[in-house]
Structure formats: C-alpha cells, structure tokens
Amino acid sequence: MLGCDQKVYSQGSVDFMTALACIQLENGLRPDQVALGLPAGPGAAGGGVVSPGTVTGALNCLARRTDCGSFVPSRTYPDIRGAMTWSINWDAANNWNFSRTVKPFLATLP
C-alpha cells in the first residue's frame, strides 16, 4: 500500500504506520477519528506485528513529529488519540504487553 508520500513501506515499521495514517489525516478525517489498528502479538497475524514501543513511536511521530523513521509528516496531528488491537486474546496471551504499554502513552499526548 502506498503511503501519504506515494512510497511503499514495510509492514511493522514506524514509516508504514505513519505514512498510511497520514492518508486518512490528509484526506478528510480529523485526528481524533484516526486510530492505528495493529495485531497484539506474533500469534495474531502473519505480518505487521510490531512491538508496543514501535506503536508509541508512530503515535509520537504523528502527534509531535519526533521518533519518526524516514517518513516525517508535513505537519503534526496533536489530537490523534487512538491505537487498538483487533486481537485482545493475543494481548492477554502476551501478558497484556500491548495495552500496558500503549494505554499510558496515550495519556501523554497533547
């Protein structure tokens, strides 16, 4: 899938998450309507699995333009508020690592 800059990024990278979220953000959705949807652990998906720290990095990139990879959004989206997993059972199987890491980070966003 092409990102906001018309480049293709590898699944599971900060660039992939931010460049694809940018498409939504630049084409009509408000930041508070956009969430990153990701698998909670390796058993939950065949690809695109990332550490919770990578998720918080992508959110930081979108909200503050820090912790970005090679893709840096043209502006910040400080009102971005979301990250979710579609695999809550896998999060439980991984000692709630996704939710224990991402939830407190969301509270630090501007």
Side-chain angles (χ1 to χ4, degrees), residues 1-2 9 12 19 27 33-34 37 41 48 51 54 60 66 69 74 76 78 85 89 91 98 101 103:
M1 294 182 278
L2 296 176
Y9 295 99
N27 287 289
Q33 294 174 311
V34 176
S51 71
T54 304
N60 225 4
T66 60
S74 61
T76 60
T85 180
N89 291 340
D91 195 26
F98 186 96
T101 304
K103 180 181 177 182

Side-chain angles (χ1 to χ4, degrees), residues 28-51:
L29 292 179
R30 297 184 319 263
D32 65 328
Q33 294 174 311
V34 176
L36 304 179
L38 302 152
V49 177
V50 297
S51 71

Side-chain angles (χ1 to χ4, degrees), residues 12-29:
S13 68
V14 168
D15 290 327
F16 181 82
M17 290 181 275
T18 54
L20 290 174
C22 175
I23 292 170
Q24 307 305 311
L25 293 161
E26 290 298 319
N27 287 289
L29 292 179

Side-chain angles (χ1 to χ4, degrees), residues 51-105:
S51 71
T54 304
V55 176
T56 61
L59 289 167
N60 225 4
C61 179
L62 291 164
R64 299 179 177 110
R65 291 182 70 198
T66 60
D67 296 334
C68 298
S70 61
F71 174 79
V72 179
S74 61
R75 60 191 178 111
T76 60
Y77 308 97
D79 294 331
I80 194 156
R81 288 287 178 263
M84 53 113 354
T85 180
W86 61 81
S87 50
I88 193 72
N89 291 340
W90 283 107
D91 195 26
N94 288 302
N95 197 30
W96 304 103
N97 193 37
F98 186 96
S99 55
R100 283 186 307 108
T101 304
V102 176
K103 180 181 177 182
F105 175 80

